[in-house]
Amino acid sequence: MRFAVFSSSGRRYLHPEALPAQGRTFLSSFTAIAKLSFDEPPLNQQFHFSDSLQRALQGKLLLLDELPFSIEVLHTHYLHGYIGLMKSIAKLHNGYVCQRCGNDEPHEFAAFSCARCGETCTYCRKCIMMGRASECQPLVFWRGHQSIPAIQKHRNPLRWEGDLSPEQAQAAHAVANAIEQRRRQLVWAVCGSGKTELLFPGLALAFQQGLRVCIATPRVDVALELEPRLRAVFPMLSIAALYGGSKQKSEESQLIVSTAHQLLRFRDAFDVMVIDEVDAFPYSFDPMLALAVERAAKKEAAVIFLTATPNEEMKRQVKTGVLPAVKIPVRYHRRPLPVPEFVWCGNWEKRLQKRKLPNVVNHWCLQRLNRNQPFLLFVPSVSTAEQVKSILGVPAAYADDPERKEKVEKFRRGEIPAIVTTTILERGVTIPRIDVAVLGAEHNIFTESALVQIAGRVGRSAEAPDGDVAFFHFGKTKAMAAARRHIMEMNEQA
Amino acid sequence: MRCRWCGQFYREALSWSEIFGVKEQDLLCGKCRQSLTFISGEICRVCGRMRELTDPSYFQKEICVDCLRWEEDENWRNEFFQNRSLYVYNEAMKQFMIRFKFRGDAAFADLIKFDWKRFWRKHDANELVVPIPLSEERLYERGFNQSLILAQMLTDDPADLLIRPHPIEKQSKKTRKERVNSGQQRFELKDEAAVKDKEIVLIDDIYTTGTTVRNAAKTLYQHGARRVRSLTLARAV
């Protein structure tokens, strides 16, 4: 779709090529929206907007192509200020920026000779799987008020009989307070301190007020584990889990558990945004996901950050008082966190090439296989996982593995004794009574936060609050030392 | 270096031909590159299907049963036709095609440029290069014609001679029977004079049943083309 700009009361508005000019004089030729500058028409309160368009677009940010409405309808709503049009690709003096995913890496853009705009059209390859954001493809959003039938005030939404520990209760109070006041709040809680439960009172308050809530998590596995738990305690609520390939598309639900990627299609949608594992790998490494989460929340939303391992920037904000924080240094069963043991295992890569595990690692694994003690063995890469799997004869689970879900389920039920895995299982996964080991703990993928998380898989249940954590390494790293210090400090504060 | 397809970082293992600039550096990581399979060994002499990957009962001598059916059909038997394809249309190629065509990632073409041009040098016979067109509606929807992009890598001036009327349904959503029998596959010509006595090579992305290229060939033969064949990027197994 090409647009031209016309002037009305001193402001510049867009006109699509497909509609008759109606005697307008244009200040530009018809071209890609990315090449024009324009203003937003003011909202006309008297205008009777289309309910179905409102339902399709409110709280969203979509490509024009994704909307099944005629250009006449869309343009009328645009002129009356009910929908906003924006460039999906913006050109700055030093390159392009994708307005949907925030990508600004030159090698993640490409151009082609476009049959729509008749020009060389630059597009974003980073978010291409969600449809092509290109110079002649506008992004569309709803500017009128929102009204979603599924979002209601619930008098008594929470069905939960559990108890909170004094530490949890204190954090829960802070969260409820932040939701009430629509502010930011960090919950700094050790792995296995029961972060999900401490959200319940705050969420209940939000649903009493008819607020819309999103819990954003970095991993599909975590979303899958969280959704049924929330369904059980908030039975009357409309809840949806969104992740790549999820069948549910009930995007109008009051509570959405979503991977960060899926939030790229939302805009100004949530009153409360809970960001789980805010330090986790994809979030801290990928500004795209940070942008998605920020944009999906309303301007005046409450934002709750949950983490066991805040990054330096967050710690700084806490210190200077910009970000209120509440700390839970102890697990709900009040037993100390298992402290990792460092074991030198020599050049393990060389051993693997000879199809052998280092002796210490082999011993550690066999011991546990013999006495039916379940364990997770973390390795730095998929290829290492494959090698170790064939040597040890236990299944491997990693990101591209189509049977990953089933394998983790089987492991949980005790049908398989152990899993070799990459860092994908480092977070959020709760399996009682396990030990964990890391092979190649010196690898740079194992950051302080990753190692703390890995150690945090152990001793999570009250019935089995202890367990072993071993870091097998070929040379100690700062990250390993920092992880152990982190855990010991938390234990001291407890 | 970052793979231009999957985005993973990978270590560059430069080959001698890359160092001496004979070959441009590969934009794909080893894993993605290896997921593409060349058609090799014995093939059907008509459609270029790879014998090794096909059930033995599908071949009679050097021709596959699908092509036999074409040859036995009185509507098609009298016309010469031949197809050759570069890659096997396997699961990996299917994923490449989904992103290339249906999501519109035109940059895919850069990733197979080297192989595709080498394939062309082997098969180039100085014919008129004619890309299979899209209908106007489909062209607008996608923003580009993948066959034109493939043809432009082979010659500076592909002959955009054919017109494809608006289809009711996408080819890729039909069964073989529906495809072969559909009357919608008729092509029209922009310039009849440009075809007479010409030897023509059609360019398309995927050869599945051959209906598309054979229908295009039929239109060209009806207007006096001397010989028509096709080159496609991938051939369904």
Side-chain angles (χ1 to χ4, degrees):
Chain A
M1 181 72 56
R2 296 197 294 187
F3 293 88
V5 164
F6 67 94
S7 173
S8 168
S9 9
R11 290 166 68 85
R12 299 161 63 94
Y13 301 133
L14 293 165
H15 183 88
E17 191 174 26
L19 296 180
Q22 295 169 323
R24 281 181 180 134
T25 42
F26 296 114
L27 307 174
S28 75
S29 54
F30 283 97
T31 184
I33 187 170
K35 292 167 184 159
L36 298 169
S37 67
F38 48 90
D39 306 306
E40 277 186 343
L43 191 77
N44 173 5
Q45 301 286 358
Q46 269 75 53
F47 178 68
H48 288 282
F49 60 83
S50 146
D51 292 340
S52 56
L53 180 57
Q54 181 195 37
R55 287 201 64 170
L57 197 55
Q58 58 188 349
K60 301 280 185 59
L61 182 67
L62 301 176
L63 295 173
L64 186 63
D65 276 10
E66 292 181 274
L67 271 176
F69 290 86
S70 74
I71 190 68
E72 284 90 348
V73 170
L74 294 174
H75 190 57
T76 314
H77 281 78
Y78 163 75
L79 289 177
H80 287 95
Y82 280 78
I83 71 173
L85 295 175
M86 62 188 248
K87 305 170 183 189
S88 63
I89 303 291
K91 193 176 184 180
L92 305 181
H93 62 283
N94 53 354
Y96 293 99
V97 182
C98 174
Q99 300 300 296
R100 177 169 61 182
C101 77
N103 166 34
D104 61 355
E105 306 249 2
H107 67 265
E108 297 268 30
F109 290 93
F112 65 104
S113 169
C114 181
R116 289 188 178 192
C117 61
E119 295 172 48
T120 300
C121 200
T122 297
Y123 69 98
C124 174
R125 296 192 69 217
K126 185 146 188 188
C127 57
I128 185 84
M129 291 313 279
M130 306 178 71
R132 186 174 58 212
S134 73
E135 285 185 287
C136 67
Q137 175 78 246
L139 283 166
V140 189
F141 57 93
W142 183 251
R143 292 176 62 211
H145 77 278
Q146 297 188 17
S147 131
I148 300 175
I151 294 175
Q152 292 165 6
K153 291 185 180 176
H154 299 267
R155 193 176 297 173
N156 191 7
L158 182 62
R159 295 279 179 278
W160 185 59
E161 301 294 323
D163 285 322
L164 295 173
S165 71
E167 291 83 5
Q168 277 178 311
Q170 196 193 354
H173 183 74
V175 167
N177 205 279
I179 289 172
E180 185 76 55
Q181 296 171 11
R182 305 280 198 284
R183 60 172 171 82
R184 301 197 310 155
Q185 172 74 47
L186 170 68
V187 178
W188 182 349
V190 296
C191 302
S193 58
K195 283 194 284 277
T196 310
E197 290 78 13
L198 68 81
L199 292 175
F200 292 164
L203 293 184
L205 182 81
F207 301 137
Q208 277 164 12
Q209 298 181 6
L211 301 182
R212 196 174 185 204
V213 178
C214 175
I215 302 181
T217 125
R219 316 240 164 172
V220 181
D221 306 73
V222 181
L224 288 172
E225 201 177 272
L226 219 48
E227 189 227 9
R229 284 170 74 185
L230 291 164
R231 235 177 244 292
V233 296
F234 295 111
M236 296 103 88
L237 220 69
S238 59
I239 302 181
L242 302 181
Y243 48 91
S246 61
K247 300 251 161 33
Q248 294 171 317
K249 284 290 173 218
S250 39
E251 293 177 347
E252 293 193 325
S253 303
Q254 188 157 6
L255 172 59
I256 285 182
V257 185
S258 174
T259 57
H261 273 102
Q262 299 302 314
L263 293 180
L264 284 172
R265 281 210 178 88
F266 287 85
R267 184 183 194 273
D268 284 341
F270 301 104
D271 306 287
V272 178
M273 179 65 88
V274 179
I275 307 172
D276 187 25
E277 311 285 5
V278 59
D279 58 295
F281 161 72
Y283 190 76
S284 58
F285 271 61
D286 199 337
M288 157 165 139
L289 303 180
L291 170 84
V293 169
E294 189 184 310
R295 187 172 55 204
K298 290 182 181 167
K299 302 269 170 314
E300 67 283 9
V303 184
I304 313 294
F305 302 101
L306 298 179
T307 181
T309 46
N311 62 18
E312 290 309 313
E313 170 60 19
M314 284 208 147
K315 284 185 200 161
R316 199 186 54 76
Q317 289 192 19
V318 171
K319 239 183 215 156
T320 52
V322 181
L323 180 62
V326 55
K327 223 172 180 180
I328 310 182
V330 63
R331 290 183 157 177
Y332 70 94
H333 54 58
R334 317 200 66 81
R335 295 285 290 269
L337 299 162
V339 178
E341 176 194 7
F342 295 170
V343 186
W344 188 83
C345 68
N347 190 343
W348 52 272
E349 277 177 287
K350 226 173 184 173
R351 290 285 290 182
L352 290 186
Q353 276 166 17
K354 294 181 188 158
R355 304 196 35 81
K356 280 184 179 146
L357 284 171
N359 286 335
V360 274
V361 181
N362 198 36
H363 182 71
W364 191 93
C365 295
L366 289 183
Q367 225 181 14
R368 282 162 181 78
L369 288 174
N370 285 339
R371 58 179 157 91
N372 282 328
Q373 163 63 42
F375 65 90
L376 286 172
L377 179 59
F378 289 85
V379 297
S381 69
V382 173
S383 55
T384 317
E386 285 291 336
Q387 283 174 311
V388 175
K389 171 185 111 173
S390 62
I391 298 169
L392 208 55
V394 301
Y398 41 81
D400 292 340
D401 184 356
E403 289 163 44
R404 174 170 121 213
K405 263 191 253 173
E406 289 80 46
K407 284 179 190 167
V408 174
E409 254 333 291
K410 277 189 179 167
F411 182 54
R412 211 188 287 277
R413 293 197 301 260
E415 288 166 28
I416 47 183
I419 288 186
V420 183
T421 181
T422 55
T423 50
I424 54 139
L425 290 185
E426 87 194 22
R427 287 158 195 280
V429 177
T430 299
I431 297 154
R433 263 186 290 281
I434 56 166
D435 288 346
V436 304
V438 180
L439 174 61
E442 76 282 0
H443 195 283
N444 58 12
I445 199 166
F446 294 118
T447 56
E448 175 193 342
S449 106
L451 290 170
V452 169
Q453 290 287 352
I454 287 171
R457 295 310 100 207
V458 174
R460 294 171 77 93
S461 69
E463 298 79 51
D466 303 305
D468 296 333
V469 183
F471 293 170
F472 294 106
H473 64 91
F474 184 39
K476 248 181 269 182
T477 61
K478 278 185 189 155
M480 288 165 63
R484 183 152 74 176
R485 203 178 326 118
H486 183 128
I487 291 169
M488 286 161 59
E489 272 173 24
M490 281 297 201
N491 282 342
E492 270 167 40
Q493 287 177 23
Chain B
M1 185 120 163
R2 215 182 240 275
C3 175
R4 294 281 287 276
W5 190 253
C6 69
Q8 295 287 323
F9 284 102
Y10 66 101
R11 256 176 241 171
E12 304 148 67
L14 280 177
S15 69
W16 286 108
S17 52
E18 285 167 347
I19 291 167
F20 288 117
V22 182
K23 188 179 167 186
E24 281 173 40
Q25 221 203 322
D26 200 344
L27 302 170
L28 288 181
C29 69
K31 202 177 162 195
C32 288
R33 179 60 70 195
Q34 279 159 26
S35 69
L36 298 170
T37 310
F38 291 115
I39 289 185
S40 61
E42 269 183 69
I43 55 172
C44 167
R45 75 174 159 78
V46 179
C47 70
R49 169 191 252 176
M50 196 166 153
R51 187 158 194 166
E52 201 187 313
L53 299 177
T54 321
D55 191 293
S57 66
Y58 266 56
F59 268 80
Q60 288 185 13
K61 291 186 185 154
E62 50 187 356
I63 184 165
C64 76
V65 287
D66 282 350
C67 289
L68 268 182
R69 282 201 279 187
W70 284 110
E71 309 260 294
E72 282 162 7
D73 188 327
E74 57 187 276
N75 289 320
W76 300 94
R77 66 185 343 160
N78 298 321
E79 287 158 3
F80 168 84
F81 189 77
Q82 189 193 63
N83 173 70
R84 290 294 178 264
S85 306
L86 171 59
Y87 297 116
V88 178
Y89 188 65
N90 55 12
E91 187 54 39
M93 183 49 91
K94 192 173 162 188
Q95 296 308 318
F96 276 100
M97 283 297 165
I98 285 173
R99 186 162 139 192
F100 177 39
K101 285 163 68 177
F102 302 118
R103 309 280 179 224
D105 191 4
F108 165 74
D110 294 337
L111 310 177
I112 46 93
K113 195 152 108 195
F114 183 84
D115 290 346
W116 179 239
K117 283 168 98 165
R118 190 175 52 189
F119 178 71
W120 171 246
R121 284 195 296 276
K122 209 166 94 187
H123 291 279
D124 182 10
N126 234 333
E127 300 142 293
L128 200 58
V129 177
V130 178
I132 295 290
L134 297 176
S135 69
E136 229 176 282
E137 291 78 0
R138 189 79 67 231
L139 180 62
Y140 183 83
E141 188 182 293
R142 194 164 297 167
F144 61 82
N145 174 5
Q146 70 278 6
S147 301
L148 179 62
I149 291 183
L150 289 171
Q152 280 166 335
M153 290 197 272
L154 310 178
T155 171
D156 291 337
D157 47 354
D160 193 10
L161 287 177
L162 294 166
I163 300 169
R164 192 175 200 164
H166 182 48
I168 317 293
E169 275 177 89
K170 287 190 189 181
Q171 274 293 93
S172 52
K173 291 193 178 150
K174 290 189 209 149
T175 63
R176 180 183 194 274
K177 203 172 168 196
E178 287 169 337
R179 287 178 179 214
V180 173
N181 295 333
S182 72
Q184 308 161 12
Q185 273 305 311
R186 296 290 135 72
F187 286 84
E188 289 159 20
L189 264 185
K190 278 187 191 163
D191 180 359
E192 299 188 1
V195 173
K196 189 133 180 58
D197 290 330
K198 288 284 164 44
E199 294 183 346
I200 290 169
V201 58
L202 293 164
I203 303 295
D204 203 3
D205 54 347
I206 306 170
Y207 183 105
T208 309
T209 60
T211 311
T212 308
V213 277
R214 277 177 183 270
N215 273 293
K218 196 173 197 77
T219 301
L220 294 167
Y221 276 128
Q222 280 164 356
H223 292 87
R226 192 181 322 149
R227 190 187 72 192
V228 187
R229 63 188 186 110
S230 68
L231 294 179
T232 55
L233 188 66
R235 169 72 172 93
V237 179

